[in-house]
Amino acid sequence: MHHSSDINSVCTYCGTGCDITAQVEDNKIIKIYAQNDGYVSQGKLCIKGAQGFTFVDSKERIRNARVKKLFIEKNSEELPRELKARVKTLKEFDEEYYEVPYEFATSLAAWKLMDIKEKYGRHAFCGMGGARTSCESAYVFQKFVRDAMNSPHVDNCARVCHSPSLKGMRTTIGEGAATNPFDDIYQTENIIVMGSNTTEAHPIVANRIIKAVRDKTATLSVLDVRETQLAKFGEAVVIPYESNLLVLNMMAYVILKEELYNKEFIDSRCIGFEEYKKSILNDPYANPEFMSKVKGYEYLVEQIPAVARLYATKKSMFFWGLGITEHLDGSYAVMAITHLAMLTGNIGKTGAGLMPLRGQNNVQGACDTGCLPYYGPDYSVPQEVGLMTPQLIDEMIAGKVKAMYVMGEDIAHIHPNQNKVHKGLANLELIISNELFMNEVTKMADIIFGVKSAYEKTGVYVNAMRRLHLSQPLVDTDLPDDWEVLRDIENKINGEFEFKDSEDVWNEAKEAVGSRFSGATYHKLSKNRNRGMLWPIKKDDTPILHVEDFRTEDGKGKFAYHQYQLREQIKKLVNNEEFASNEFYLTTGRTIVQYNNAAQTQRSEALNSRYDRDVVLASIEDKDRIGSNEIIMRTQYGETAILPVKFVKTIKPGTLFTTFHHAASKVNYIFGDEADELIMTAKFKSIRVEIEPICNAS
C-alpha cells in the first residue's frame, strides 16, 4: 500500500525553532515546507530547514550499538561472567568496532560506570550535552548524571555559546532568556543587532528585520567587526575587535550625558542607578571622543552617539549573538546591554526588549531543564555545584575525571584548544556517545548508541524566544531515543527510572521546571502546536517577560557597572603600535548552508555541495600583504589546515573571518583557554593569528 501524509513538527537546526511540515511517503521524507500561517516560519524556511533532511536516511547513520574492540580487550580480565561469555559471540562491525546487541551495550555501560565509580569515586564521571535533543532527554540526562551517578558534573554546549547571556541577564534582570516573541519586530520602531550574523545564522528572524526596515516601520543599526549582509539594509557600524563593552558603555554615556534616560522607569523598577551613572560619566573609556584615538575607526565618534540616541528615543529591540558572548568580557557586555534597556525603559512591553539569539534548537530547553553544573532544573541551586567543561578537561588531563557520557555534543571539534581537548579525552577510561553519525568525539568513544534524530521522535523543544513546541515523529524507526538509553542503563544500576514513554518523562520534567513549564501538558501543547507556547506557562503562556517587575528576588533591575579593559587590537591602535606584516585579528562564524560541526548538513548533498570547505574572508586592501589565495593560520596553541582566502570589501584591513564547520579545517585548534572571566565561554570571536601564505608553484 502506498502511504502518503503531511506531518507538522519543528525544525532541527538553529534556535529560531521554525514550524515545519513534512511530506512523507512510505516512511521517507520527500519534502519539507512551511505552512503560510506558520507562527515562527511565516511560510518561509531557510535552505537548511527546507533541504537539510536527507541525513535522516543517510547510509552513514549509526543504526546499532557499537563497542570498541580495544575496550573489550582492556577490560576482558575484569568483565563479569555473564558479559565475558557473550563477548565471544560479538559480530565485527569494522576494524575498530564490534556491532553489539543493544541489551549487551547497556549492560556493559552500566557495569563499567559502576566500576569507575567504585575505583575512583563519584566525581570521576561527567556528562556533556543536551542542546541537540528534546527537553525530555536533556532532563533525563542531568538526572542520570546527578542521581544515578551522583556526580555534579553536567554541562552542555551553552558553555561555548550563550552562557554569558544567561549570566549577564540573570545578574541584572533575574532571567536569562529572550523577553519578546519574534513578531514584536513588526511592533518596534528601532532595532539594534550586535555580534550576530543574522541572515546566515538565524535567517527567519532576519526576514522579519528586513521586512520591518523595508516597510519603514523600524530603523536598523548593525554593530559588528565586519559589514555583514544584514548591515546592507540599515546602518553598518563597523567596530574594532575586543570593543563590545567599550561601545556599549559609550552608548550609556551618551544616554546619561544627554539625559535621554527614562527617569520614571528607573525610579520605579531599578536600583543602583546613581552609582552606575557616576561610574560611567567618570569613565575615561566611556566617552565616545575616545574613538578619535583609534586609528581607522575615528568615524565611531559620531556613529555611536547616533545609535544611542535612536535607541533611547524610540521603542527599541536589541538582538545579539555569539559576537557578544564569546569574549573575555562576554558576561559584562550582556550586562551592559541590559543596562541600556533599563536606562531607556526598552523592556517589558510589546516591541521593546532583549533578544539573545540562541544557536541550537534546544539550548534554551537544555538550560531550563538543568544541564548546567551550577543550575538544577528551573535554575534551582543544585545540591552540589559541578565543574564547567574547560575545568573538566583539566581534570581529565590530571587523571581525576575518568569517564564521560556525551549526548549529541561534538566536544572534539566544536570546543576550543583542541590539542588540549584531545589530550584530555585520550586519558579517559570510558567514553559513551549517543549520536546520529560518527563524528570527532564518537570516533574516540568506547560504547556508541545510535539514537533517534529530532525527525523520528516525540518531544518538546524550546526555541530562542522561550517557545515550547511539541514535535512529533515524521518517520518511524526502531532506534531508541536518548532518554530511553539513559533509562535502560540506569535500570541496570539503581532501577529508579520508570519512564514508559516521552510523556511520562515530560510529566516529571514539567514539575521539576515548575515555575516555567507547570501548565504545559502534552495535551495543551498539541492543541497549540502551530503557535507553540511561551514560558512561563501556568494556565496561559507569557509572550512578554518583565511587564510589571523583573524576575529578581525584589523585582527590581540591578545596575552592575563594569569598566572596559584596554587590550588587543584597540590597545595597539590607540598606542600606535606596529602590527607585524603577518599579524591579523580573526573572528569566526557560520555560513547559512552548514550547521555547526556539519554532522547533518554535510550529509545533505544540496547543502554540502555549496560549501564543502571552510573559507577565510580577508580585506581586498590586504591582498598584497597576504600575497596568496591560500593560508595557514597559527597561534601558540596550534594551527589550521591550509584554507582558501577570498578577498572582499566588507572586511576591515588587518582582520579576517572564517567558518569552522568542517573538522578537517582544524580551526578550533588555534584557540586557547582564554575565556569569559565569569563563565568560561571561549574567546572564539577575537584572536590574534599569524598567517603563513602558501605559495603555489602554478
Side-chain angles (χ1 to χ4, degrees):
M1 174 191 140
H2 186 68
H3 180 69
S4 172
S5 57
D6 282 55
I7 305 167
N8 297 326
S9 197
V10 64
C11 179
T12 179
Y13 290 106
C14 77
T16 308
C18 290
D19 39 89
I20 58 170
T21 302
Q23 190 183 331
V24 179
E25 281 176 22
D26 297 329
N27 208 37
K28 188 177 162 74
I29 303 169
I30 303 300
K31 139 178 207 202
I32 284 186
Y33 64 97
Q35 304 280 1
N36 284 334
D37 63 352
Y39 183 72
V40 176
S41 67
Q42 300 190 317
K44 288 193 183 70
L45 297 176
C46 83
I47 187 168
K48 288 190 290 288
Q51 298 186 16
F53 59 81
T54 48
F55 73 88
V56 174
D57 46 24
S58 160
K59 288 199 244 326
E60 295 170 44
R61 274 293 288 279
I62 303 171
R63 304 231 171 246
N64 49 25
R66 298 174 192 173
V67 175
K68 215 167 229 171
K69 293 174 182 173
L70 204 59
F71 178 75
I72 295 282
E73 226 170 278
K74 274 188 199 156
N75 289 277
S76 60
E77 292 302 302
E78 294 181 49
L79 282 175
R81 208 168 46 205
E82 65 278 14
L83 292 178
K84 212 178 244 176
R86 293 177 62 183
V87 165
K88 299 183 175 54
T89 65
L90 297 179
K91 291 208 307 263
E92 176 166 302
F93 175 74
D94 61 16
E95 278 169 31
E96 277 191 87
Y97 288 95
Y98 292 118
E99 178 174 16
V100 302
Y102 175 76
E103 198 278 318
F104 174 83
T106 51
S107 298
L108 185 66
W111 166 75
K112 188 61 186 174
L113 286 168
M114 292 308 9
D115 176 55
I116 281 173
K117 190 171 166 186
E118 274 155 35
K119 276 189 200 145
Y120 307 108
R122 61 196 181 87
H123 290 93
F125 172 76
C126 67
M128 174 74 49
R132 302 285 314 132
T133 184
S134 63
C135 285
E136 289 83 348
S137 290
Y139 172 76
V140 173
F141 188 68
Q142 62 82 35
K143 186 179 165 86
F144 180 87
V145 177
R146 289 186 165 119
D147 297 4
M149 294 300 294
N150 199 15
S151 166
H153 303 321
V154 60
D155 209 349
N156 80 76
C157 75
R159 182 68 44 235
V160 287
C161 59
H162 268 287
S163 289
S165 296
L166 184 61
K167 178 73 179 173
M169 292 173 83
R170 280 186 75 88
T171 305
T172 50
I173 56 175
E175 183 67 87
T179 58
N180 298 54
F182 296 140
D183 277 359
D184 274 26
I185 290 168
Y186 301 130
Q187 311 290 322
T188 192
E189 299 163 347
N190 177 53
I191 298 164
I192 294 182
V193 176
M194 188 168 185
S196 160
N197 184 8
T198 326
T199 54
E200 305 282 324
H202 302 87
I204 303 303
V205 178
N207 285 351
R208 285 175 170 76
I209 294 174
I210 291 166
K211 185 178 188 322
V213 176
R214 282 189 167 150
D215 292 349
K216 298 202 171 25
T217 55
T219 43
L220 167 68
S221 310
V222 181
L223 286 69
D224 216 307
V225 295
R226 63 188 181 117
E227 196 180 317
T228 58
Q229 205 181 334
L230 185 65
K232 294 181 171 62
F233 296 91
E235 175 88 2
V237 184
V238 181
I239 63 175
Y241 279 56
E242 301 274 343
S243 69
N244 289 336
L245 184 58
L246 180 69
V247 169
L248 291 161
N249 281 347
M250 285 176 177
M251 286 176 65
Y253 180 95
V254 172
I255 291 167
L256 291 164
K257 188 93 179 145
E258 301 182 7
E259 295 187 5
L260 303 172
Y261 52 90
N262 183 331
K263 191 169 173 342
E264 192 193 345
F265 186 89
I266 295 167
D267 288 349
S268 60
R269 304 253 330 239
C270 307
I271 53 174
F273 171 68
E274 287 304 328
E275 204 179 322
Y276 167 78
K277 179 180 170 184
K278 205 166 77 196
S279 302
I280 289 272
L281 292 177
N282 291 317
D283 178 352
Y285 293 129
N287 187 335
E289 287 299 323
F290 177 79
M291 286 295 185
S292 62
K293 300 183 217 155
V294 186
K295 204 170 150 228
Y297 293 89
E298 297 86 353
Y299 53 83
L300 291 170
V301 173
E302 305 291 318
Q303 223 177 359
I304 290 168
V307 173
R309 288 173 199 127
L310 272 178
Y311 182 78
T313 55
K314 291 186 165 195
K315 192 163 62 166
S316 299
M317 290 179 84
F318 202 124
F319 290 80
W320 70 94
L322 306 186
I324 286 286
T325 57
E326 292 179 341
H327 283 281
L328 297 179
D329 52 13
S331 297
Y332 292 125
V334 172
M335 290 176 204
I337 292 172
T338 58
H339 292 338
L340 293 174
M342 287 153 57
L343 281 177
T344 57
N346 269 312
I347 190 166
K349 46 187 179 243
T350 304
L354 298 170
M355 306 292 289
L357 290 168
R358 311 300 299 252
Q360 304 263 28
N361 58 342
N362 197 37
V363 65
Q364 182 69 56
C367 297
D368 296 343
T369 53
C371 279
L372 290 165
Y374 38 76
Y375 287 127
D378 217 13
Y379 303 94
S380 57
V381 177
Q383 275 174 316
E384 183 181 357
V385 172
L387 296 176
M388 299 181 251
T389 308
Q391 297 167 312
L392 289 170
I393 303 289
D394 288 337
E395 293 288 281
M396 290 172 192
I397 291 172
K400 290 186 182 144
V401 167
K402 295 288 190 181
M404 173 176 72
Y405 201 129
V406 51
M407 177 171 75
E409 168 75 346
D410 193 355
I411 181 173
H413 169 181
I414 289 299
H415 288 245
N417 209 348
Q418 278 300 329
N419 284 315
K420 184 176 171 184
V421 170
H422 280 75
K423 188 176 157 187
L425 296 178
N427 229 5
L428 295 176
E429 280 185 30
L430 173 68
I431 298 176
I432 304 174
S433 170
N434 288 10
E435 236 343 315
L436 310 183
F437 297 99
M438 293 300 280
N439 59 29
E440 300 307 299
V441 73
T442 306
K443 289 174 195 162
M444 302 177 82
D446 301 291
I447 304 174
I448 299 167
F449 292 97
V451 289
K452 287 182 160 95
S453 74
Y455 293 158
E456 293 159 321
K457 62 190 177 193
T458 301
V460 175
Y461 295 85
V462 188
N463 78 347
M465 62 181 210
R466 298 174 284 110
R467 172 179 179 268
L468 277 68
H469 188 123
L470 176 59
S471 84
Q472 48 190 348
L474 306 177
V475 290
D476 298 323
T477 174
D478 50 8
L479 287 169
D481 200 343
D482 286 303
W483 67 263
E484 291 176 285
V485 179
L486 293 157
R487 172 199 65 191
D488 296 344
I489 296 173
E490 193 280 341
N491 284 179
K492 292 173 176 177
I493 296 174
N494 300 332
E496 286 166 11
F497 288 10
E498 293 178 356
F499 311 114
K500 287 187 237 6
D501 56 25
S502 66
E503 187 167 11
D504 257 4
V505 180
W506 178 251
N507 288 338
E508 182 178 315
K510 78 179 176 61
E511 294 315 313
V513 191
S515 80
R516 289 166 177 78
F517 294 174
S518 62
T521 57
Y522 263 24
H523 177 69
K524 204 185 280 184
L525 289 174
S526 63
K527 277 206 331 214
N528 289 289
R529 202 186 302 275
N530 184 13
R531 192 180 81 81
M533 299 184 80
L534 280 69
W535 68 245
I537 303 164
K538 299 280 193 278
K539 191 166 163 285
D540 297 307
D541 68 345
T542 315
I544 297 173
L545 292 180
H546 316 293
V547 175
E548 307 208 328
D549 42 28
F550 289 110
R551 290 170 71 86
T552 49
E553 269 176 37
D554 58 5
K556 303 275 195 226
K558 295 175 183 47
F559 285 98
Y561 161 78
H562 189 79
Q563 187 173 25
Y564 172 75
Q565 310 286 310
L566 190 63
R567 59 172 164 251
E568 292 293 344
Q569 190 194 16
I570 291 216
K571 189 176 182 181
K572 293 187 99 164
L573 290 168
V574 170
N575 297 336
N576 278 317
E577 287 175 41
E578 281 294 304
F579 287 81
S581 65
N582 67 342
E583 174 187 8
F584 285 81
Y585 279 87
L586 168 76
T587 194
T588 59
R590 290 184 188 158
T591 174
I592 190 165
V593 295
Q594 294 287 8
Y595 187 72
N596 282 14
N597 68 345
Q600 294 168 183
T601 44
Q602 70 186 4
R603 288 169 178 93
S604 301
E605 188 44 36
L607 301 178
N608 202 48
S609 58
R610 291 168 182 245
Y611 197 86
D612 58 4
R613 277 182 86 176
D614 291 304
V615 177
V616 178
L617 299 183
S619 168
I620 205 144
E621 296 173 48
D622 283 332
K623 200 166 180 166
D624 294 339
R625 185 177 159 198
I626 293 172
S628 172
N629 292 325
E630 289 189 316
I631 58 171
I632 290 173
M633 294 184 285
R634 214 173 257 121
T635 64
Q636 72 205 69
Y637 305 104
E639 60 179 49
T640 64
I642 296 175
L643 296 173
V645 183
K646 190 173 164 198
F647 294 97
V648 295
K649 289 186 183 149
T650 51
I651 304 271
K652 288 284 265 189
T655 70
L656 305 169
F657 168 84
T658 189
T659 50
F660 54 86
H661 298 297
H662 298 286
S665 308
K666 296 204 155 177
V667 172
N668 288 340
Y669 280 74
I670 62 176
F671 295 94
D673 287 346
E674 293 94 349
D676 181 88
E677 53 192 86
L678 300 181
I679 219 83
M680 298 193 94
T681 292
K683 185 186 134 175
F684 278 129
K685 291 303 175 212
S686 169
I687 185 161
R688 195 174 67 83
V689 295
E690 292 179 356
I691 64 155
E692 181 192 329
I694 304 299
C695 298
N696 305 345
S698 56

